């Protein structure tokens, strides 16, 4: 779930907050984009940042979980 919002600010920028799934587009950017395609490019770039962070978080979680389960199995089964 990604929330989009427009922020009243002169900056020519858009930002993402992956923790909350937000993309904010500043009005300064809206004033200079020439068409919908340019705006879509910027927004998709920010969405890419969010998705990358989610994938990284998921990967780290799986690695930690796999390592923990492996260690637990080793302790439970012993050295043989």
């Amino acid at each position: 779930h990604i929330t989009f919002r427009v922020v009243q600010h002169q900056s020519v920028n858009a930002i993402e907050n992956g923790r909350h799934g937000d993309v904010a587009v500043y009005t300064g950017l809206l004033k200079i984009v020439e068409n919908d395609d340019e705006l879509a490019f910027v927004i998709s770039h920010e969405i890419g940042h969010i998705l990358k962070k989610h994938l990284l978080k998921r990967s780290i979680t799986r690695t930690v979980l796999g390592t923990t389960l492996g260690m637990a199995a080793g302790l439970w089964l012993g050295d043989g």
Side-chain angles (χ1 to χ4, degrees):
H1 168 171
I2 298 174
T3 302
F4 299 93
R5 58 192 171 98
V6 175
V7 176
Q8 191 76 29
H9 196 275
Q10 64 190 16
S11 292
V12 178
N13 202 6
I15 60 170
E16 57 79 24
N17 181 345
R19 285 180 49 183
H20 299 104
D22 293 337
V23 173
V25 178
Y26 293 118
T27 52
L29 176 68
L30 295 176
K31 291 177 183 178
I32 68 154
V33 294
E34 294 184 11
N35 54 50
D36 291 344
D37 291 339
E38 289 182 359
L39 181 58
F41 179 84
V42 172
I43 290 173
S44 64
H45 175 83
E46 298 306 326
I47 291 171
H49 286 300
I50 292 171
L51 295 176
K52 183 178 176 184
K53 288 178 184 176
H54 285 303
L55 292 173
L56 179 62
K57 184 178 178 181
R58 185 180 303 154
S59 176
I60 290 170
T61 300
R62 287 181 180 167
T63 300
V64 170
L65 180 61
T67 301
T68 302
L69 291 175
M71 289 172 54
L75 290 172
W76 185 66
L77 296 174
D79 289 338

